[in-house]
Amino acid sequence: MSGATIWKGYIHFGDTDVPVKLHTAVREERIQFHLLHKRDQVKLRQQMICAYEKQPVPTEEQTKGFEVEDGKYIIADPEELEQTVPESSRMIEVHEFVKTAQVDPIFLDRVYYLEPDITAIQGKGYNALVKVLKEIGVEGICTWSMRKRSYVGALQASGKVLRLTTLRHADEVVPVATLGLQDVTLSEKELKIGGDLINQLTASFEPRKFENEHQKKLQNMIEKKARGEKIAVLAPRRLKPTESDQLLQVLEASLKKAA
């Protein structure tokens, strides 16, 4: 398992406890730029400036406040905030199991790998849980606390490994009804050609086919500038939306290209 263990605990459901180790499953690789003083190219340092006095405020004089109305705050002392931190726990408590198809992807957030903690067991409980979840086609909805935060998540089986995916809370997801979508009538021919086009473009999911083009361009630009080359600034490409009366014509043209 690549990556260091970031947390250790156990999966608890019914009378069963399965010791596990948590690993990050996603590694974001981004080119980082530093903010510099344009004149002398020295790194800038961020400071907290008082909007009234226009002077930097040292850390020991800073506090947190919740704005209840314009310019009025409820001050929260560090001791008071500490009382809201969830109790430290090593338990991933599974409350219920639901069919995988019922978990809308919009609720999925950050993914972790769970590795069996073989210092405690030889992995039988872990392997059994992976197999049963896959055979029944369910995920365990669970809660746990980690690094002074509480989480709700989905315990999932993928191949031979368990994944723990944090879930967004219901009030964090914007209802689709707020978009105000309108019904649009489509002809049978438009639907037929649209379906044929999708069938022509249907393939197996292979994420390695798609590289991060933005990161590649950034890296290429940095390498060119390091060699002293001049960067040509190109005008942005602008695409026009397809007009509704041209949909059939555009679909037919796209189908011919994909054939």
Side-chain angles (χ1 to χ4, degrees):
M1 183 74 68
S2 60
T5 299
I6 61 175
W7 187 80
K8 294 178 72 171
Y10 58 93
I11 302 167
H12 175 81
F13 61 100
D15 296 323
T16 304
D17 294 318
V18 180
V20 290
K21 295 186 287 187
L22 192 75
H23 300 263
T24 299
V26 177
R27 181 180 62 249
E28 293 186 5
E29 295 185 357
R30 295 181 180 178
I31 293 175
Q32 298 291 333
F33 289 93
H34 295 281
L35 195 59
L36 309 176
H37 188 181
K38 192 173 183 179
R39 184 175 61 198
D40 50 30
Q41 297 186 6
V42 174
K43 282 206 302 186
L44 299 178
R45 183 177 61 190
Q46 189 178 49
Q47 290 183 311
M48 296 294 112
I49 307 295
C50 175
Y52 176 70
E53 297 177 340
K54 312 299 183 185
Q55 294 293 327
V57 179
T59 303
E60 62 271 15
E61 294 183 19
Q62 298 174 16
T63 190
K64 292 183 177 181
F66 178 81
E67 190 172 30
V68 289
E69 56 181 272
D70 189 24
K72 292 187 177 181
Y73 301 87
I74 294 175
I75 302 302
D77 295 328
E79 297 79 9
E80 295 170 330
L81 291 173
E82 190 65 28
Q83 294 182 28
T84 67
V85 174
E87 286 187 34
S88 179
S89 172
R90 292 292 172 182
M91 180 172 66
I92 301 170
E93 184 173 3
V94 180
H95 299 277
E96 59 190 14
F97 292 94
V98 301
K99 291 292 185 182
T100 297
Q102 293 180 338
V103 181
D104 191 327
I106 198 172
F107 286 93
L108 302 179
D109 194 8
R110 190 169 183 84
V111 187
Y112 298 92
Y113 290 132
L114 288 175
E115 178 187 16
D117 190 352
I118 57 175
T119 59
I121 57 172
Q122 295 304 311
K124 277 192 174 182
Y126 180 96
N127 292 336
L129 184 55
V130 172
K131 186 174 182 180
V132 171
L133 289 178
K134 289 175 64 178
E135 287 184 352
I136 302 178
V138 297
E139 300 179 3
I141 305 303
C142 52
T143 56
W144 74 98
S145 298
M146 179 176 67
R147 297 177 175 176
K148 295 187 176 183
R149 287 190 60 186
S150 57
Y151 297 88
V152 59
L155 183 68
Q156 307 160 322
S158 176
K160 296 181 179 180
V161 72
L162 286 175
R163 294 190 309 204
L164 185 61
T165 303
T166 59
L167 297 177
R168 297 180 178 90
H169 291 88
D171 57 2
E172 295 178 299
V173 175
V174 178
V176 70
T178 62
L179 299 180
L181 299 179
Q182 299 179 351
D183 290 334
V184 177
T185 302
L186 296 172
S187 68
E188 289 295 328
K189 189 172 184 180
E190 288 170 335
L191 290 172
K192 173 68 167 57
I193 294 177
D196 290 343
L197 176 59
I198 290 174
N199 286 331
Q200 289 277 6
L201 297 174
T202 297
S204 299
F205 178 53
E206 296 179 22
R208 290 187 180 276
K209 291 194 302 186
F210 302 95
E211 297 181 335
N212 191 329
E213 294 295 332
H214 180 230
Q215 291 293 297
K216 286 179 62 178
K217 288 180 179 179
L218 279 176
Q219 187 63 48
N220 184 49
M221 180 199 72
I222 291 170
E223 291 173 357
K224 282 185 176 181
K225 290 183 76 70
R227 294 192 298 265
E229 298 182 27
K230 189 175 180 179
I231 304 299
V233 179
L234 304 177
R237 181 186 176 196
R238 301 188 182 277
L239 299 177
K240 293 183 179 180
T242 302
E243 299 294 338
S244 58
D245 59 351
Q246 297 177 335
L247 178 61
L248 185 58
Q249 180 182 349
V250 171
L251 283 173
E252 288 176 334
S254 299
L255 184 60
K256 288 179 181 179
K257 286 183 180 180

